[in-house]
Coordinates of all heavy atoms in Angstrom, one line a residue:
Chain A
V22 N 0.1 8.0 -0.8 CA 0.1 9.1 -1.7 C 1.5 9.2 -2.3 O 2.5 9.4 -1.6 CB -0.3 10.4 -1.1 CG1 -0.3 11.5 -2.1 CG2 -1.7 10.3 -0.4
Y49 N -11.4 12.7 -1.5 CA -10.9 14.0 -1.4 C -9.4 14.1 -1.6 O -8.6 13.3 -1.0 CB -11.2 14.6 0.0 CG -12.7 14.9 0.3 CD1 -13.7 14.5 -0.6 CD2 -13.0 15.6 1.4 CE1 -15.0 14.7 -0.3 CE2 -14.4 15.9 1.6 CZ -15.4 15.5 0.8 OH -16.7 15.7 1.1
Y51 N -6.0 17.1 -2.3 CA -5.7 18.5 -2.1 C -4.2 18.8 -2.5 O -3.4 17.9 -2.5 CB -5.7 18.9 -0.6 CG -7.0 18.4 0.1 CD1 -7.1 17.1 0.7 CD2 -8.1 19.3 0.3 CE1 -8.2 16.7 1.3 CE2 -9.2 18.9 0.9 CZ -9.3 17.6 1.4 OH -10.5 17.2 2.1
Y53 N -1.2 21.6 -1.5 CA -0.8 22.6 -0.7 C 0.6 23.0 -1.1 O 1.4 22.2 -1.6 CB -0.8 22.2 0.8 CG -2.1 22.1 1.5 CD1 -2.9 21.0 1.3 CD2 -2.6 23.2 2.3 CE1 -4.2 20.9 2.0 CE2 -3.8 23.1 2.9 CZ -4.6 22.0 2.7 OH -5.8 21.9 3.4
Q55 N 4.1 24.9 0.7 CA 4.7 25.3 2.0 C 5.9 26.1 1.7 O 6.9 25.6 1.2 CB 5.1 24.0 2.8 CG 5.6 24.3 4.1 CD 5.9 23.1 4.9 OE1 6.3 22.0 4.4 NE2 5.8 23.1 6.3
G58 N 9.3 28.4 6.7 CA 8.9 29.0 8.0 C 7.4 29.3 8.0 O 6.9 29.9 9.0
M59 N 6.7 28.8 7.1 CA 5.2 29.1 7.0 C 4.4 27.8 7.1 O 5.0 26.7 6.9 CB 4.9 29.8 5.7 CG 5.7 31.1 5.5 SD 5.2 32.3 6.7 CE 3.6 32.7 6.2
G60 N 3.2 27.9 7.3 CA 2.3 26.8 7.3 C 1.9 26.4 5.8 O 2.6 26.9 4.9
L61 N 1.0 25.5 5.7 CA 0.6 25.1 4.4 C -0.6 25.9 3.8 O -1.6 26.1 4.6 CB 0.2 23.6 4.4 CG 1.4 22.7 4.8 CD1 1.3 22.2 6.2 CD2 1.4 21.5 3.9
K62 N -0.5 26.3 2.6 CA -1.6 27.1 2.0 C -2.2 26.2 0.9 O -1.5 25.7 0.0 CB -1.0 28.4 1.4 CG -0.3 29.3 2.3 CD -1.2 29.8 3.4 CE -0.4 30.7 4.3 NZ -1.2 31.2 5.5
L63 N -3.5 26.2 0.9 CA -4.3 25.4 -0.1 C -4.3 26.0 -1.4 O -4.7 27.2 -1.6 CB -5.7 25.2 0.5 CG -6.6 24.3 -0.4 CD1 -6.1 22.8 -0.4 CD2 -8.0 24.3 0.2
Y66 N -8.3 21.9 -4.6 CA -8.8 20.7 -4.0 C -9.9 20.0 -4.9 O -10.4 20.6 -5.8 CB -9.4 20.9 -2.6 CG -10.6 21.7 -2.5 CD1 -11.9 21.1 -2.4 CD2 -10.6 23.1 -2.6 CE1 -13.0 21.9 -2.4 CE2 -11.7 23.9 -2.5 CZ -12.9 23.3 -2.4 OH -14.1 24.0 -2.3
V68 N -13.2 17.0 -4.6 CA -14.0 16.1 -3.8 C -14.4 14.8 -4.6 O -15.1 14.0 -4.0 CB -15.2 16.8 -3.3 CG1 -14.8 18.0 -2.4 CG2 -16.2 17.2 -4.4
F108 N 3.0 19.9 -1.6 CA 2.5 18.6 -1.0 C 1.1 18.3 -1.5 O 0.2 19.2 -1.5 CB 2.4 18.7 0.5 CG 3.7 18.7 1.2 CD1 4.3 19.8 1.7 CD2 4.4 17.4 1.4 CE1 5.5 19.8 2.3 CE2 5.6 17.4 2.0 CZ 6.2 18.5 2.5
Q115 N -14.8 11.9 4.5 CA -15.9 12.0 5.6 C -15.9 13.4 6.1 O -16.8 13.8 6.9 CB -15.6 11.0 6.7 CG -15.6 9.5 6.2 CD -16.9 9.1 5.6 OE1 -18.0 9.4 6.1 NE2 -16.8 8.6 4.4
G116 N -14.8 14.2 5.9 CA -14.8 15.5 6.3 C -14.3 15.7 7.7 O -14.0 16.8 8.1
I117 N -14.2 14.6 8.5 CA -13.6 14.7 9.8 C -12.5 13.6 10.0 O -12.6 12.9 10.9 CB -14.6 14.7 10.9 CG1 -15.6 13.5 10.7 CG2 -15.4 16.0 10.9 CD1 -16.5 13.3 11.9
D118 N -11.6 13.6 9.0 CA -10.5 12.7 9.2 C -9.3 13.4 8.7 O -9.3 14.4 7.9 CB -10.7 11.3 8.5 CG -11.0 11.5 7.0 OD1 -11.4 12.6 6.6 OD2 -10.8 10.5 6.3
G119 N -8.1 12.9 9.1 CA -6.9 13.6 8.8 C -6.4 13.3 7.4 O -6.9 12.4 6.7
Y120 N -5.4 14.0 7.0 CA -4.8 13.9 5.6 C -3.7 12.9 5.7 O -3.0 12.7 6.7 CB -4.1 15.2 5.2 CG -5.1 16.3 4.9 CD1 -4.5 17.6 4.6 CD2 -6.4 16.2 4.8 CE1 -5.3 18.7 4.3 CE2 -7.2 17.3 4.5 CZ -6.7 18.5 4.2 OH -7.5 19.6 3.9
F122 N -0.3 12.6 3.5 CA 0.4 13.5 2.6 C 1.4 12.7 1.7 O 1.9 11.6 2.2 CB 1.3 14.5 3.4 CG 0.5 15.7 3.9 CD1 0.0 15.6 5.2 CD2 0.4 16.8 3.2 CE1 -0.7 16.7 5.7 CE2 -0.3 17.9 3.7 CZ -0.8 17.9 5.0
G123 N 1.7 13.2 0.6 CA 2.7 12.7 -0.2 C 4.1 13.2 0.3 O 4.1 14.0 1.2
S124 N 5.2 12.8 -0.3 CA 6.5 13.1 0.2 C 6.9 14.5 -0.2 O 8.0 15.0 0.2 CB 7.5 12.1 -0.2 OG 7.5 12.0 -1.7
Chain N
N59 N -15.1 21.8 13.1 CA -15.5 20.7 14.0 C -14.5 19.6 14.0 O -14.7 18.5 14.6 CB -16.9 20.1 13.6 CG -16.9 19.7 12.1 OD1 -16.0 19.7 11.4 ND2 -18.1 19.3 11.7
Y60 N -13.3 19.8 13.4 CA -12.3 18.8 13.4 C -10.9 19.4 13.5 O -10.7 20.4 12.7 CB -12.4 17.9 12.1 CG -11.3 16.9 12.0 CD1 -11.2 15.8 12.9 CD2 -10.4 17.0 11.0 CE1 -10.2 14.8 12.8 CE2 -9.4 16.0 10.9 CZ -9.3 15.0 11.8 OH -8.3 14.0 11.6
P62 N -7.0 18.5 13.7 CA -5.8 17.6 13.6 C -4.5 18.3 14.0 O -4.4 19.5 13.8 CB -5.8 17.1 12.2 CG -6.4 18.2 11.4 CD -7.3 19.0 12.3
Y64 N -0.3 17.8 13.2 CA 0.7 17.1 12.4 C 2.1 17.4 12.9 O 2.4 18.5 13.3 CB 0.6 17.5 10.9 CG -0.8 17.2 10.2 CD1 -1.9 18.0 10.4 CD2 -0.9 16.0 9.5 CE1 -3.1 17.7 9.8 CE2 -2.1 15.7 8.9 CZ -3.2 16.6 9.0 OH -4.4 16.2 8.4
Q66 N 6.0 17.4 11.5 CA 6.8 17.3 10.3 C 8.3 17.4 10.7 O 8.8 18.4 11.2 CB 6.5 18.5 9.4 CG 7.2 18.4 8.1 CD 6.9 19.6 7.1 OE1 6.6 20.7 7.6 NE2 6.9 19.4 5.8
K70 N 10.8 16.1 5.7 CA 9.8 15.0 5.5 C 8.4 15.6 5.3 O 8.2 16.8 5.4 CB 9.8 14.1 6.8 CG 11.2 13.5 7.2 CD 11.6 12.4 6.2 CE 12.9 11.7 6.7 NZ 13.3 10.6 5.8
R71 N 7.5 14.7 5.1 CA 6.1 15.1 4.9 C 5.5 15.2 6.3 O 5.9 14.6 7.3 CB 5.4 14.0 4.1 CG 5.1 12.7 4.9 CD 4.6 11.6 4.0 NE 5.6 11.0 3.3 CZ 5.4 10.1 2.3 NH1 4.2 9.7 1.9 NH2 6.5 9.5 1.7
P72 N 4.4 16.1 6.4 CA 3.7 16.1 7.7 C 2.9 14.8 7.9 O 2.4 14.2 7.0 CB 2.6 17.3 7.4 CG 3.2 18.1 6.3 CD 4.0 17.1 5.4
L74 N 0.0 12.9 10.5 CA -1.0 13.1 11.6 C -0.6 12.4 12.8 O -0.2 11.2 12.8 CB -2.3 12.5 11.1 CG -3.5 12.6 12.0 CD1 -4.0 14.0 12.1 CD2 -4.6 11.7 11.5
D77 N -5.8 13.8 16.7 CA -6.8 14.7 16.3 C -8.0 14.7 17.3 O -8.0 13.9 18.2 CB -7.4 14.3 14.9 CG -7.9 12.9 14.8 OD1 -8.1 12.2 15.9 OD2 -8.1 12.4 13.7
R79 N -12.3 15.8 17.7 CA -13.5 16.3 17.1 C -14.3 17.2 18.1 O -14.1 17.1 19.3 CB -14.4 15.1 16.6 CG -13.8 14.4 15.5 CD -14.4 13.0 15.2 NE -13.8 12.4 14.0 CZ -12.6 11.8 13.9 NH1 -11.9 11.8 15.0 NH2 -12.2 11.3 12.8
F117 N 2.2 21.3 13.4 CA 1.2 22.1 12.8 C -0.2 21.8 13.4 O -0.5 20.6 13.5 CB 1.1 22.0 11.3 CG 2.3 22.5 10.6 CD1 3.3 21.6 10.2 CD2 2.4 23.8 10.2 CE1 4.4 22.1 9.5 CE2 3.5 24.3 9.5 CZ 4.5 23.4 9.2
S121 N -10.8 22.2 10.4 CA -11.6 21.9 9.2 C -13.0 21.7 9.6 O -13.4 21.5 10.7 CB -11.0 20.7 8.4 OG -11.3 19.5 9.2
T122 N -13.9 21.7 8.5 CA -15.3 21.6 8.7 C -15.8 20.5 7.8 O -15.5 20.5 6.6 CB -16.0 23.0 8.3 OG1 -15.4 24.0 9.0 CG2 -17.5 23.0 8.6
R123 N -16.7 19.7 8.3 CA -17.2 18.6 7.5 C -17.9 19.1 6.3 O -17.8 18.5 5.2 CB -18.2 17.8 8.4 CG -19.0 16.8 7.6 CD -20.2 16.3 8.4 NE -19.8 15.3 9.4 CZ -19.7 14.0 9.2 NH1 -19.9 13.5 8.0 NH2 -19.3 13.2 10.2
A126 N -15.9 20.5 2.4 CA -15.0 19.6 1.6 C -13.8 19.1 2.4 O -12.8 18.7 1.9 CB -14.5 20.2 0.3
G127 N -13.9 19.1 3.7 CA -12.8 18.7 4.6 C -11.6 19.5 4.5 O -10.5 19.0 4.9
K128 N -11.7 20.7 3.9 CA -10.5 21.5 3.7 C -9.9 21.9 5.1 O -10.7 22.4 5.9 CB -10.8 22.7 2.9 CG -11.2 22.5 1.5 CD -11.4 23.8 0.8 CE -12.6 24.5 1.3 NZ -12.8 25.8 0.6
S129 N -8.6 21.7 5.3 CA -8.0 22.1 6.5 C -7.3 23.5 6.3 O -6.6 23.7 5.3 CB -7.0 21.1 7.0 OG -7.6 20.0 7.6
T130 N -7.4 24.4 7.3 CA -6.6 25.6 7.4 C -5.6 25.3 8.5 O -5.9 25.0 9.6 CB -7.5 26.8 7.8 OG1 -8.5 27.0 6.7 CG2 -6.7 28.0 7.8
F131 N -4.3 25.6 8.1 CA -3.2 25.3 9.0 C -2.7 26.5 9.7 O -2.7 27.6 9.2 CB -2.1 24.7 8.2 CG -2.3 23.3 7.7 CD1 -3.1 23.0 6.6 CD2 -1.8 22.2 8.4 CE1 -3.3 21.7 6.2 CE2 -2.0 20.9 8.0 CZ -2.8 20.6 6.9
G132 N -2.2 26.3 10.9 CA -1.4 27.3 11.6 C 0.0 27.4 10.9 O 0.3 26.5 10.1
D133 N 0.8 28.3 11.4 CA 2.1 28.5 10.7 C 3.2 27.6 11.3 O 4.3 27.7 10.8 CB 2.5 30.0 10.9 CG 1.8 30.9 9.9 OD1 1.2 30.4 9.0 OD2 1.8 32.1 10.2

Side-chain angles (χ1 to χ4, degrees):
Chain A
V22 179
Y49 288 13
Y51 312 86
Y53 284 84
Q55 183 177 32
M59 302 293 290
L61 295 104
K62 303 295 183 186
L63 182 64
Y66 67 98
V68 298
F108 286 101
Q115 299 303 312
I117 49 171
D118 58 341
Y120 291 173
F122 281 92
S124 58
Chain N
N59 56 5
Y60 176 68
Y64 295 86
Q66 185 179 30
K70 305 287 188 180
R71 75 191 78 188
L74 180 70
D77 56 14
R79 291 167 175 74
F117 292 98
S121 70
T122 307
R123 173 194 282 273
K128 295 183 293 181
S129 281
T130 299
F131 287 81
D133 284 343

